[in-house]
Amino acid sequence: MKTLYTDGKFYVEKDYFVEGILVEGDKIIAIGSKKDLEKNADTIVSLEGNTVIPGINDSHLHLWHTGNALKQVDLTQAKSIEEVIEITKEFIKEHDLKDGQLVFGRGWNQDYFTDEQRLLERKDLDRISTDLPIILDRVCVHVTALNSKALELLNIPEGKVVEGGEIRLDENGEYSGIFTENAFAYAHTIVPQETKAEAKEKFLAAIQYAKENGITSVQACDYMGPGYELYFDILKEIYKEEGEKLRYYPQFNFQTLEGAKEYIETYYSQEELYDDTFQRGCWKLFKDGTLGARTALMRKPYHDDPSTKGVYAISDEDLEEMCAYAEDKGVRIVTHAIGDGAIQSMIDAYSKAMKEGNPLRHGIVHCQITDRKQLEDIAEKNITVLFQPIFLQYDIMMIENRVGKELAKTSYAFKTLYEMNHNLTSLSTDSPVEDLNPFPNIYCAVNRKRFNGFPEGGYYPEECLTVEEAIDNYTIGSAYSQGMEDRLGRLKEGYYADFIVLDRDIFTIDPMDIINIKPLATYIGGEKVWEK
């Protein structure tokens, strides 16, 4: 059966649009005018003049966490500590939580607080409840706050140290309730193990939400250390038994070589499991923390806090050993690195391990604070970069305070790096750190403004991407990141028929209106998987 999708404005590449695409099976077999294609079509579907772009491929997010966020206290809109307290109290009341049930929330950001711009502490959460254990994760999911009841359950051994993280004390030498980086995971050990059914429900909710937002492929960090077997089994069931269409490329996170070896030798090596829908994926590491929490690793002390340069989530020695092992086994690595110190460590470690040209496409996730030389090295060495322009919505307010104006000028360098090497850059949301809706992300890439239009003219506007460049980063760029650029990310012959129909023309509307675009329909492999 050959189906012609036509009567639309189909984006192929810069300055190239066609009237229709002819699909057979799950791939595009021809593109061009309606007149030329309809004679070979068995059926014709009119898209009624709407604009069509390739399906969005989010190159880094957390699918289970996205589903989980849909079912917990949402603190993303909290503008004060008082609002955090009230929102959480209301959630407890609405869900009738009692008898020691854990209260879990995420999304607060102290830089948005209008009362006190500081991290949440035990004393704040105790005002919500001292009977129910409470864990509230910061938006970056690198910092969390616990109340006294949660600390009691955690039962921290005297002198407890978490390498690559911090259990902070208050001015009296008592636990403040703040946990950062690797200590974040330690704090979460009190969270009850969810059932398989509960975890699967969260994956399915996130998959549906992705399709509603025009996402056809995700590169997702869901297998994270101990307990990953449950998630692997669920996804295997969803994909291999139930035939889910959303393309899934795992970024399996193990912060130790031993953990990664176990996964690679038992799961990654099962080649018969994988195809272009449920894929083998890559190894994900964390080198540092976040700029907002001042845990991103810098080469010089923070401009607004000279007492710290951030944190090492992995030592350089361990990192080099991991990269050497991955290269030997033919496994790609992508690493969370935000500060220029962490980014330099990644450039150095990859350079020592990888073959010329980086055929495995080792990459840097976030890559926010950079100088010109680092950008040149990344482009020259062919290191892939997984950018999140949406982070500018928040970071514009504090970049220069954190790192100084000079370094800020060469940071979040979307355009510079893209022009140095068109293949390397891709876009993502890091959902649920930010919502996985791609259009606010494209808005930020194109305008470099907050949603309120600040600053006028854009933040270092020379780094703005064009609409076409932003779409390419989100489609063919993301496909290159995972080694599928020969069959995914374009509306061309031989490529998968993954595409989305938009409710307005992204190429001609006011760029400030991009944030409001909504998909009308989402197709994966020629099959309509969602319709408004």
Side-chain angles (χ1 to χ4, degrees):
M1 174 72 73
K2 297 177 182 177
T3 302
L4 172 60
Y5 296 93
T6 190
D7 300 328
K9 180 180 179 179
F10 292 78
Y11 173 67
V12 181
E13 59 191 15
K14 184 179 179 182
D15 299 325
Y16 185 13
F17 296 87
V18 294
E19 292 178 339
I21 59 173
L22 188 64
V23 176
E24 184 175 26
D26 58 3
K27 288 191 175 179
I28 299 168
I29 59 171
I31 65 173
S33 68
K34 181 178 181 179
K35 181 179 179 181
D36 289 340
L37 296 175
E38 62 185 357
K39 56 179 175 280
N40 294 315
D42 298 308
T43 184
I44 298 176
V45 177
S46 174
L47 297 181
E48 301 177 348
N50 289 301
T51 296
V52 182
I53 64 173
I56 297 296
N57 183 340
D58 193 304
S59 64
H60 174 68
L61 51 68
H62 307 264
L63 198 62
W64 175 87
H65 286 86
T66 297
N68 191 46
L70 296 171
K71 298 177 180 297
Q72 59 188 219
V73 188
D74 180 5
L75 297 171
T76 55
Q77 303 304 312
K79 296 298 189 289
S80 66
I81 294 172
E82 292 300 322
E83 282 195 18
V84 168
I85 293 168
E86 290 308 312
I87 290 170
T88 309
K89 281 184 175 180
E90 186 62 27
F91 182 90
I92 292 170
K93 181 179 178 181
E94 287 179 1
H95 293 79
D96 194 26
L97 300 181
K98 53 191 173 185
D99 299 329
Q101 288 179 276
L102 180 71
V103 181
F104 206 173
R106 64 161 299 279
W108 58 269
N109 187 335
Q110 80 281 4
D111 288 324
Y112 289 155
F113 292 168
T114 56
D115 44 11
E116 296 180 78
Q117 290 193 335
R118 60 170 175 80
L119 299 179
L120 293 177
E121 299 178 0
R122 171 178 54 108
K123 62 183 181 183
D124 305 312
L125 276 59
D126 282 350
R127 292 176 55 200
I128 301 169
S129 175
T130 54
D131 296 322
L132 300 175
I134 302 173
I135 301 180
L136 301 182
D137 295 345
R138 190 180 182 275
V139 64
C140 63
V141 292
H142 286 254
V143 177
T144 194
L146 276 63
N147 72 341
S148 294
K149 188 65 175 180
L151 286 169
E152 178 186 322
L153 292 177
L154 192 58
N155 193 23
I156 305 170
E158 186 175 351
K160 173 72 175 179
V161 174
V162 178
E163 186 176 348
E166 185 181 6
I167 302 173
R168 293 190 182 176
L169 304 178
D170 61 21
E171 62 275 9
N172 299 317
E174 298 177 346
Y175 293 120
S176 67
I178 298 171
F179 294 74
T180 73
E181 301 311 326
N182 290 348
F184 176 97
Y186 171 66
H188 281 227
T189 59
I190 67 169
V191 178
Q193 179 66 48
E194 64 186 344
T195 66
K196 182 178 180 180
E198 289 170 337
K200 184 175 181 180
E201 183 182 357
K202 292 172 184 177
F203 273 115
L204 292 174
I207 286 170
Q208 178 63 22
Y209 188 56
K211 293 173 185 175
E212 292 172 5
N213 282 279
I215 309 292
T216 57
S217 300
V218 295
Q219 300 175 42
C221 182
D222 292 315
Y223 312 150
M224 303 180 73
Y228 71 87
E229 297 91 346
L230 172 67
Y231 294 165
F232 187 94
D233 287 346
I234 290 169
L235 286 164
K236 181 181 173 184
E237 185 176 288
I238 289 172
Y239 280 92
K240 308 310 289 186
E241 297 177 21
E242 299 173 10
E244 176 53 50
K245 299 296 183 182
L246 181 78
R247 301 189 193 280
Y248 185 89
Y249 175 97
Q251 296 173 339
F252 48 90
N253 171 231
F254 296 92
Q255 290 293 93
T256 66
L257 183 56
E258 292 71 25
K261 283 181 177 179
E262 177 186 308
Y263 177 85
I264 290 167
E265 291 170 4
T266 56
Y267 290 88
Y268 183 87
S269 61
Q270 297 180 41
E271 294 185 26
E272 69 279 2
L273 278 178
Y274 304 109
D275 53 29
D276 284 349
T277 299
F278 185 55
Q279 300 159 59
R280 287 174 60 148
C282 66
W283 183 4
K284 164 73 186 306
L285 297 171
F286 288 87
K287 177 60 184 175
D288 67 348
T290 69
L291 203 63
R294 296 187 186 84
T295 53
L297 182 63
M298 304 297 298
R299 287 184 289 186
K300 295 181 180 179
Y302 275 83
H303 189 257
D304 57 356
D305 185 359
S307 70
T308 184
K309 292 183 180 180
V311 301
Y312 282 86
I314 299 176
S315 70
D316 287 343
E317 293 74 22
D318 288 345
L319 179 63
E320 289 179 12
E321 185 180 8
M322 291 173 178
C323 289
Y325 171 81
E327 188 72 24
D328 180 62
K329 296 296 183 182
V331 178
R332 180 188 182 215
I333 287 181
V334 298
T335 306
H336 169 119
I338 288 179
D340 63 344
I343 291 164
Q344 190 61 52
S345 290
M346 297 319 307
I347 293 171
D348 294 342
Y350 288 155
S351 298
K352 288 180 181 179
M354 69 190 186
K355 296 179 178 65
E356 185 176 355
N358 189 19
L360 292 178
R361 302 185 182 176
H362 300 310
I364 299 174
V365 183
H366 308 312
C367 196
Q368 290 170 213
I369 308 302
T370 53
D371 63 21
R372 177 76 185 189
K373 176 64 165 56
Q374 290 177 322
L375 295 171
E376 291 170 350
D377 285 347
I378 289 167
E380 180 185 350
K381 297 175 187 298
N382 216 43
I383 297 170
T384 58
V385 174
L386 293 62
F387 276 133
Q388 297 75 36
I390 188 69
F391 284 5
L392 285 173
Q393 158 65 8
Y394 161 57
D395 290 0
I396 281 173
M397 301 188 299
M398 56 87 183
I399 299 168
E400 292 184 4
N401 288 336
R402 294 288 194 272
V403 306
K405 192 166 186 176
E406 196 61 33
L407 190 53
K409 289 179 182 178
T410 54
S411 298
Y412 303 76
F414 314 141
K415 184 80 164 189
T416 295
L417 198 50
Y418 178 75
E419 290 188 336
M420 286 179 174
N421 190 327
H422 281 14
N423 289 327
L424 298 183
T425 54
S426 61
L427 300 189
S428 73
T429 56
D430 203 8
S431 177
V433 174
E434 297 290 345
D435 190 86
L436 58 68
N437 180 351
F439 297 103
N441 203 19
I442 294 174
Y443 164 95
C444 287
V446 171
N447 296 297
R448 291 179 71 89
K449 297 178 181 180
R450 301 191 68 223
F451 299 157
N452 62 6
F454 175 86
E456 185 177 352
Y459 183 78
Y460 294 104
E462 62 273 16
E463 293 293 346
C464 290
L465 295 175
T466 66
V467 170
E468 292 83 358
E469 288 167 348
I471 292 172
D472 287 353
N473 269 259
Y474 234 148
T475 54
I476 193 68
S478 293
Y480 179 89
S481 180
Q482 62 188 119
M484 294 180 66
E485 73 280 4
D486 62 340
R487 57 196 186 278
L488 188 69
R490 290 287 196 203
L491 300 183
K492 287 184 174 181
E493 296 92 340
Y495 281 69
Y496 285 113
D498 296 2
F499 59 94
I500 54 175
V501 185
L502 306 182
D503 69 350
R504 63 198 80 185
D505 187 352
I506 190 172
F507 301 100
T508 60
I509 62 173
D510 184 336
M512 295 294 289
D513 194 34
I514 291 173
I515 195 172
N516 298 314
I517 291 175
K518 301 292 183 186
L520 296 174
T522 302
Y523 291 78
I524 301 177
E527 179 180 332
K528 186 189 292 182
V529 296
W530 177 82
E531 184 175 27
K532 186 174 180 180

